[in-house]
Amino acid sequence: MSTQSQFQLLVVEDSLTAFARISGLLSQAVPARYTVTHATTLTSGLDQAARTTFDAVLLDLTLPDSSGVETCVRLHSACPRLPIVVLTGTEDDEVALAAVQSGAQDYLVKQCIDGPLLDRTIRYAIERSRLLATRWNHEERLRLMAEQLPAVLWTTDTQLQLTSAIGVRPLPSGQLPAEMVGRDIAEAFGGLRQTDEVIAAHRSALTGRRSRSVRIVHDGMTLDLCIEPLRDAQQHLMGTVGIIIDVTDHRRMAVSLHAAAQMQRRMLPDPAPRISGFDVFGHVYSADETSGDYLDFLSPQNGQFDFALGDVVGHGLGAAFIMTQLRAYLRALRSFTDKPGDVLTTINRFLCDDLDTGSFVTLFFGRLNPTERTLSYAAAGHCGYLLPNEGEVRRLDSTGMSLGLEPAKCVNTSQPVHLANGDILLVVTDGFQESIGANRDLFGSERVIRTVLQHRHRSGRQILSAIYEAVREFRQQELIADDMSAVIIRANFDHTCEL
């Protein structure tokens, strides 16, 4: 922690002499580091904490209106996120343990402290509290993912005790994941021929090494287990995070990459939705077995139809895993607001913790209202195009920066875009525009739009196929270099079908 940090400190102490000593020790050891507020009773301390944001509190357990561990219990109950350091004049280990169990971060005997010790204890309590908050955020995101994936996910601390476990399938021990929280990883995976290998994978992750995988064969099942280090926002090692997937049905696959590809393909929308008055089509052309492009058509809600198209930087298994996270976040969050921009703003905060430096995601999230024939959207570093039946092509600009770069950035929601009969909405990933031809020039957006205009009276499926064939002819190669995906929506009010 930086020695230049400044903190708001609340001292709840009825003795003016003791308070003066504490203030003097801190001002002598670290001048100007702390802004200290004094309260002489628990009631006044709680009132101060309700009106002011403090970084930590020093709490005497013997106050005029409260005494003993109950004092810590009451303060922690009212301010669960506020780090508490207990001060007492009695050196009693049992009281210390009870205070920590009741929510305190640490325990100091007044007669035994000096300025540096007091400063160090307060700063460590603040940092430990931040780590716990970060861990809670990780576990909440883990829960959202587990609800979307056929897998069991868990986290451990640095002692390899399970701190969370989520999933509907039992662990190899036969216990449900939630029943194993607080137990040792060896107990969760006991009885396997590969138990030692599983433990070694967790220990390897604690050294900072990434992606250690173990294949487990147990009771006729084939399970793939992957362990990675778990880090906080400052990249400090907090423990491990693991996932186990039943791949029994995929035994003939040569490598686990094949299993990931199959899982991802099952996540792609198929077939395209049928919407009254609109021809909707989308497709992902993958450069590898797994794709970093994200395409999704979501089930209608409130008479509106949501779709998403995104691009994770890079391609392959790493990008595909991020795409899976993105899909889980979007599906979990979209029902909570009618503004697409609010959904992407929340996802951005999650991805800023999940992604490595330099990784990011572009995403176009659209909401089509077939009744009003309008489109509202949020676009994070990703644009679209409206090709009207009459008039000039209109670019649908991004409403915010790419996801995963800056957690404080917001993504806005566009004004409604009105669609007329014959209009075409086009959203593509950059694999089309950035395809390189034999002369080392780019295919570019103009060629994409020109191809759509040449085939605008055909179906969305046929238009996208024409774009793909044009790119392959331009490249003069069978294989594509990057994932290429697109969504095409044609307003076709003369031909209707049921949603």
Side-chain angles (χ1 to χ4, degrees):
M1 179 178 290
S2 170
T3 58
Q4 301 301 315
S5 299
Q6 294 186 347
F7 304 105
Q8 294 285 335
L9 178 66
L10 173 64
V11 179
V12 185
E13 167 64 69
D14 63 328
S15 169
L16 297 179
T17 302
F19 172 72
R21 180 169 179 263
I22 291 168
S23 299
L25 288 173
L26 289 175
S27 62
Q28 290 175 14
V30 283
R33 175 172 291 172
Y34 295 95
T35 299
V36 181
T37 301
H38 184 211
T40 58
T41 65
L42 180 59
T43 300
S44 62
L46 291 172
D47 183 59
Q48 293 275 12
R51 291 186 285 112
T52 306
T53 300
F54 292 101
D55 295 295
V57 59
L58 296 181
L59 177 66
D60 184 10
L61 290 183
T62 304
L63 298 169
D65 58 345
S66 183
S67 63
V69 175
E70 179 65 21
T71 307
C72 182
V73 172
R74 289 173 60 187
L75 179 59
H76 180 65
S77 176
C79 309
R81 298 294 181 93
L82 180 61
I84 301 172
V85 175
V86 167
L87 291 173
T88 182
T90 305
E91 191 169 1
D92 188 330
D93 290 341
E94 291 186 3
V95 173
L97 178 60
V100 171
Q101 291 174 339
S102 301
Q105 289 289 337
D106 213 333
Y107 176 96
L108 290 173
V109 178
K110 296 178 187 178
Q111 295 89 337
C112 300
I113 61 175
D114 56 27
L117 174 61
L118 186 58
D119 171 54
R120 185 167 60 252
T121 302
I122 295 170
R123 289 190 296 119
Y124 284 6
I126 293 171
E127 185 62 19
R128 281 195 297 271
S129 180
R130 289 173 177 171
L131 289 174
L132 288 173
T134 300
R135 176 178 292 174
W136 185 90
N137 288 333
H138 275 286
E139 291 173 358
E140 181 65 11
R141 289 193 295 273
L142 198 63
R143 183 188 66 80
L144 286 172
M145 289 179 59
E147 291 176 352
Q148 301 290 330
L149 297 173
V152 176
L153 300 96
W154 64 91
T155 60
T156 75
D157 58 19
T158 55
Q159 303 302 312
L160 296 186
Q161 301 286 328
L162 269 73
T163 55
S164 69
I166 306 169
V168 296
R169 296 171 179 264
L171 288 164
S173 63
Q175 301 292 317
L176 290 174
E179 299 172 348
M180 299 303 296
V181 174
R183 302 187 188 182
D184 189 88
I185 198 70
E187 186 176 353
F189 291 90
L192 298 175
R193 289 183 301 169
Q194 300 97 331
T195 297
D196 291 343
E197 192 175 354
V198 171
I199 295 173
H202 283 80
R203 289 176 176 165
S204 176
L206 289 178
T207 67
R209 298 175 184 172
R210 301 185 67 84
S211 288
R212 178 78 180 270
S213 298
V214 180
R215 171 154 288 188
I216 297 172
V217 179
H218 178 68
D219 284 347
M221 297 184 298
T222 302
L223 308 170
D224 275 354
L225 177 148
C226 182
I227 309 296
E228 293 210 12
L230 178 63
R231 301 180 184 276
D232 63 18
Q234 287 75 42
Q235 295 301 301
H236 298 144
L237 193 65
M238 298 172 56
T240 67
V241 56
I243 180 171
I244 190 168
I245 304 174
D246 185 348
V247 294
T248 306
D249 294 337
H250 305 287
R251 288 181 179 180
R252 292 175 294 178
M253 298 180 181
V255 293
S256 59
L257 177 63
H258 232 66
Q262 292 294 320
M263 181 181 295
Q264 188 180 41
R265 292 188 187 103
R266 287 197 298 270
M267 292 180 179
L268 292 176
D270 186 31
R274 296 169 60 84
I275 301 176
S276 180
F278 293 89
D279 171 20
V280 179
F281 186 74
H283 190 72
V284 175
Y285 299 97
S286 299
D288 292 328
E289 280 193 287
T290 55
S291 170
D293 281 4
Y294 169 47
L295 168 65
D296 211 354
F297 297 129
L298 297 99
S299 57
Q301 57 181 19
N302 300 322
Q304 299 184 94
F305 158 73
D306 291 350
F307 66 94
L309 186 71
D311 187 2
V312 179
V313 62
H315 53 85
L317 186 58
F321 179 72
I322 296 172
M323 185 277 284
T324 303
Q325 288 179 283
L326 179 62
R327 177 182 185 269
Y329 290 153
L330 185 64
R331 290 191 165 216
L333 296 171
R334 73 173 183 120
S335 298
F336 293 102
T337 176
D338 59 356
K339 296 182 179 180
D342 291 348
V343 176
L344 298 200
T345 297
T346 302
I347 291 175
N348 177 58
R349 290 199 299 270
F350 284 175
L351 289 180
C352 282
D353 287 338
D354 295 340
L355 302 186
D356 293 330
T357 301
S359 296
F360 61 89
V361 176
T362 69
L363 182 64
F364 189 103
F365 177 38
R367 181 160 288 173
L368 180 66
N369 188 324
T371 302
E372 297 183 2
R373 298 175 178 178
T374 60
L375 168 78
S376 60
Y377 71 91
H382 204 127
C383 71
Y385 299 93
L386 179 65
L387 287 66
N389 191 37
E390 296 180 356
E392 298 294 323
V393 174
R394 173 184 170 187
R395 177 185 166 104
L396 303 180
D397 289 322
S398 173
T399 61
M401 70 184 302
S402 299
L403 306 178
L405 294 174
E406 295 188 28
K409 293 295 184 180
C410 295
V411 182
N412 297 318
T413 300
S414 73
Q415 293 297 317
V417 178
H418 293 272
L419 302 174
N421 193 34
D423 289 355
I424 297 176
L425 172 67
L426 172 69
V427 186
V428 298
T429 58
D430 59 13
F432 287 102
Q433 301 99 307
E434 295 181 2
S435 292
I436 300 175
N439 297 325
R440 309 303 299 171
D441 55 337
L442 297 178
F443 190 77
S445 299
E446 291 184 2
R447 285 190 176 93
V448 173
I449 293 172
R450 187 161 61 245
T451 304
V452 176
L453 293 174
Q454 289 172 351
H455 299 271
R456 69 172 308 142
H457 297 296
R458 304 175 71 183
S459 69
R461 181 187 296 271
Q462 292 170 327
I463 292 173
L464 183 51
S465 178
I467 300 172
Y468 179 67
E469 291 303 325
V471 170
R472 290 180 59 185
E473 182 179 349
F474 177 78
R475 282 177 47 79
Q476 298 182 12
Q477 294 183 26
E478 286 293 319
L479 298 178
I480 59 176
D482 193 9
D483 303 323
M484 301 191 302
S485 305
V487 171
I488 296 177
I489 299 178
R490 296 175 66 251
N492 189 12
F493 305 147
D494 296 330
H495 297 83
T496 62
C497 58
E498 294 301 320
L499 180 60

